[in-house]
Amino acid sequence: MGAKVEESVGWGLVGASTIAREWVIDAIRQTGGKPLVVMSRDADRAATYARANGIARATTSLSTLLADEAVDAVYISTTNERHHDEALAAAEAGKHVLCEKPLALTLSAAEAMVRACRDRGLIFATNHHLRNAATICKVRELVQAGVLGAVHAMRIFHAVYLPEHLQSWRLHRPDCGGGIAFDISVHDADTARFILDDEPIDVVAQTGKFGLSSHGLNDAVMYVMRMRSGVLVQAHESFVTRHAGTGLEVHGADGSIFAREVMTQRPVGSVWLRRDQTERPIPVEHENLYVRALSRFHAAMRGLGSPTADGWDGVRSLAVALAVQEAARSGRRVRVSPAGLASS
């Protein structure tokens, strides 16, 4: 049996994170949930975070958080190497799980997390926020409606400058799952899968170091994925690019879509369609990405539909990130692991 589902869903925050503070806590509250307790291994950080965000309780103990019967679901936003053990503990305690990406550092660990929740009748979702963006959803709608005809290629521009307050383990801690692929490639792989309704088959890649990363980690990558349908997807991802802006393009036999400033947490950006020698803007009704994600998560807890990105979506995006890393390391074309294409 899964965890109980109350009219107001009780949440435990596993990790006193920036993303929870900036986006997720408010989205939980806006969609019928209540953050009840936050956990950090640093007692002072946990207490300060709880006070600042209006959360009643703080703890340094995961077991204490999970023993709270008022907690129905947990949001895991700790460093990447901790997700596996925390998710398994949550599943054992009967809590639904929303987990940050990448789910884990290996495919076997990620799959174990997803299966642990599935086998107990619990919801497991991956926080792939981009597929909740109105712009990304609009691009998917146009592509799936056949507006472009046969799709040939997709280009993703996700080269940004990592804010100074985030320039820690992502750049300097391989043991925590740092590096560009685990942080950004997972999102772009998921976005391509979502828009194209297709699966990556293999990858070629080159990485670079341009002044921010250390300890063998990379702060930029370019790669090309070949999808099962034959569509080629090119991506440029970076932590060191201040002025590029983000976006994506999809090109087909009958037209092209251009989306600008869309690879972001904010509900912004524009979509344009070019075909028959004309170009026109496509209307988009923006909405908070995280409110949409939490609304779908809470509905799934009630047995109504599924999360926008489930656990297997997280496994598949991790498979691509691992393939990107190996392709760059080896200089070879690397097949995306078949394990990452599993769905049961």
Side-chain angles (χ1 to χ4, degrees), residues 4 15 28 34 52 62 77 81 91 110 138 178 205 233 256-258 272 280-281 284 318 322 325 327 334-335 340 343:
K4 68 184 186 301
I28 287 172
K34 185 176 182 179
L62 179 62
S77 59
E81 86 287 2
K138 180 59 68 174
V233 179
S256 292
I257 296 170
F258 302 85
W272 292 75
R280 63 183 178 91
V284 175
L318 173 61
L322 292 168
Q325 290 178 327
V334 172
R335 190 164 183 82
S343 59

Side-chain angles (χ1 to χ4, degrees), residues 147-163:
V147 171
L148 303 185
V151 175
H152 301 153
M154 181 175 181
R155 298 170 62 192
I156 299 175
F157 316 99
H158 204 158
V160 298
Y161 191 80
L162 189 67

